[in-house]
């Protein structure tokens, strides 16, 4: 009988800027997310007193987390992925001392999880950084930011070492290539060379955080986090096959550095061919040798690659520009649904790194309808998650070591790409809408009981 491991992490995943709200409360500083009200690809909008955006309140998790965590516990979660807002701890990034009110908030949050035996999986930076570091230092383009990040990481490792054993460095680190402001605090018109230099600084910072975690939380584990953008060749033409290899290396490069501890040759050639002379010091090379304990990733879709420029029209994809696959259906947002692709990706990552894997995001963003009796019959979400989990189980049968599955947005939250609330992922509905109206009340969708059953049976209730 095919099964998930006995000690499997089941749960959900969130990000501070998409759930917490309270964007200036308790001395929090402005983050890059706070100045991008239209989402991760949106323009920077300087805040003015009295203005407001959807993320400012988000789903008010900052004040309602006890209720939300008890609902997660009712579903049987033994794991919850959250992120720490760097700006709650160091409001400007370069502050002389950390902000005690911010530190105290996450103490309360982790204590609440502990009450329900929910293991925290904590992302150090999920699509945000202190805006002051962008304005005053030029974001990750400036080497000094490495030191500010390391200090932040060491601060939270020290503070929470008794409470948090599972850590992630940067969310979807490869997305900086597509949304430089969100990823590395650089303007969208930055040159590729500038973006790669900033990425290099971030990779060094990630490795320094790994080293610090191993020193401060020796029994802990720290992973990277990739946007798992698996690409297929559109045809079997050798040119399509080679271009697909290159496109996949676009995201694998990050994993290669973080899991193997050095720049791969194909990347050095890419820099040479394009005339990029990156500043990579011997100390940087030494730092990169601290590699992650496990590989985590998000998975929503796959896409295709063609070497034929005429065919290379862009699909509406998640961050990566993908050519649509004629064999797949799409979500309402044009994201192509491919459960088998998850099995393929798990095998690719396992074959490449031989490190434990963790699916830390997967799910279906959809518009939900609240019926007259208040019920929400989200069979589409159940079917999406069922089919992906079945393929994850197949990958385990293939020999892949899989630590856990945290579905994206177990409670409705503000979407990252367009900052919408109408794109819902949750098992728990939140009464809040794109125009900011709503009571913020929580209610259970049909998928709530479905996921509860999946967890209770450790996946045995899934329909293959
Ligand atoms: C991932 C991000 O890209 O996808 C999340 O890590 C994001 O922050 C998720 O919310 C889904 O994307 P979206 O745009 O539907 O919110």
């Amino acid at each position: 009988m095919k099964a998930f491991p006995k000690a499997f992490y089941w749960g959900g995943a969130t990000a501070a800027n998409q759930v917490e709200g309270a964007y200036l409360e308790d001395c929090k500083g402005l983050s890059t997310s706070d100045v991008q009200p239209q989402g991760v690809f949106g323009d920077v909008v300087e805040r003015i007193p009295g203005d407001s955006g959807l993320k400012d309140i988000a789903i008010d998790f900052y004040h309602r987390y006890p209720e939300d965590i008890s609902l997660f516990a009712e579903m049987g979660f033994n794991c919850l992925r959250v992120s720490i807002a760097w700006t709650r701890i160091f409001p400007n990034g370069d502050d002389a001392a950390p902000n005690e009110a911010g530190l105290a908030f996450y103490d309360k949050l982790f204590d609440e999880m502990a009450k329900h035996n929910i293991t925290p999986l904590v992302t150090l930076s999920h699509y945000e950084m202190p805006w002051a570091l962008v304005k005053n230092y030029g974001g990750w383009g400036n080497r000094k930011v490495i030191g500010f990040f390391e200090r932040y990481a060491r601060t939270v490792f020290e503070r929470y070492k008794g409470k948090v054993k599972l850590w992630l460095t940067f969310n979807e680190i490869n997305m900086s290539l597509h949304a430089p402001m969100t990823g590395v605090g650089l303007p969208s018109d930055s040159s590729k060379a500038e973006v790669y230099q900033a990425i290099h600084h971030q990779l060094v910072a990630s490795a320094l955080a790994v080293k610090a975690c191993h020193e401060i939380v020796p029994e802990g584990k720290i992973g990277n986090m990739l946007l798992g953008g698996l690409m297929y060749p559109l045809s079997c033409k050798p040119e399509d096959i080679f271009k697909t290899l290159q496109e996949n290396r676009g995201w694998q490069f990050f994993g290669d550095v973080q899991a193997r501890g050095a720049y791969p040759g194909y990347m050095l050639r890419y820099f040479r061919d394009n005339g990029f002379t990156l500043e990579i010091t011997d100390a940087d090379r030494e730092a990169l040798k601290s590699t992650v304990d496990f590989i985590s990733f998000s998975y929503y879709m796959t896409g295709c690659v063609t070497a034929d420029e005429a065919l290379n029209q862009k699909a509406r994809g998640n961050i990566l520009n993908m050519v649509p696959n004629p064999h797949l259906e799409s979500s309402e947002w044009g994201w192509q649904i491919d459960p088998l692709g998850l099995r393929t990706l798990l095998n690719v990552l396992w074959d490449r790194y031989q490190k434990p894997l963790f699916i830390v995001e997967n799910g279906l963003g959809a518009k939900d309808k609240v019926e007259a009796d208040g019920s929400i019959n989200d069979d589409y979400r159940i079917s999406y998650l069922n089919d992906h989990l079945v393929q994850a189980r197949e990958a385990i049968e293939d020999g892949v070591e899989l630590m856990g599955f945290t579905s994206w947005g177990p409670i409705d939250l503000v979407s990252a790409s367009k900052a919408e609330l109408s794109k819902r992922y949750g098992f728990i509905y939140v009464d809040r809408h794109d125009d900011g109206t709503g009571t913020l009340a929580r209610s259970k969708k049909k998928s709530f009981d479905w996921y509860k059953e999946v967890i209770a049976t450790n996946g045995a209730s899934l329909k293959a």
Side-chain angles (χ1 to χ4, degrees), residues 18 126-127 171-172 300 335 361 408 415-417 423 425:
Q18 291 172 261
H126 190 128
Y127 281 180
N171 181 64
E172 293 189 339
Y300 294 94
W335 294 16
E361 283 187 34
W408 177 249
S415 86
S417 49
K423 188 179 191 184
Y425 285 86

Side-chain angles (χ1 to χ4, degrees), residues 293-354:
D293 302 313
F294 64 96
I295 311 287
S296 86
F297 65 94
S298 61
Y299 178 79
Y300 294 94
M301 68 179 98
T302 52
C304 294
V305 174
T306 170
D308 180 342
E309 272 316 310
L311 274 177
N312 207 5
Q313 83 272 21
K314 287 176 184 173
R316 285 179 297 146
N318 178 12
I319 296 160
L320 310 168
N321 293 319
M322 296 167 162
V323 176
N325 185 329
H327 305 287
L328 298 177
E329 311 237 301
S330 297
S331 77
E332 289 170 89
W333 271 263
W335 294 16
Q336 298 215 299
I337 301 172
D338 182 9
L340 182 56
L342 177 58
R343 178 176 175 188
T344 307
L345 179 60
L346 283 161
N347 275 279
V348 165
L349 290 169
W350 176 249
D351 289 352
R352 197 172 181 100
Y353 301 122
Q354 298 281 298

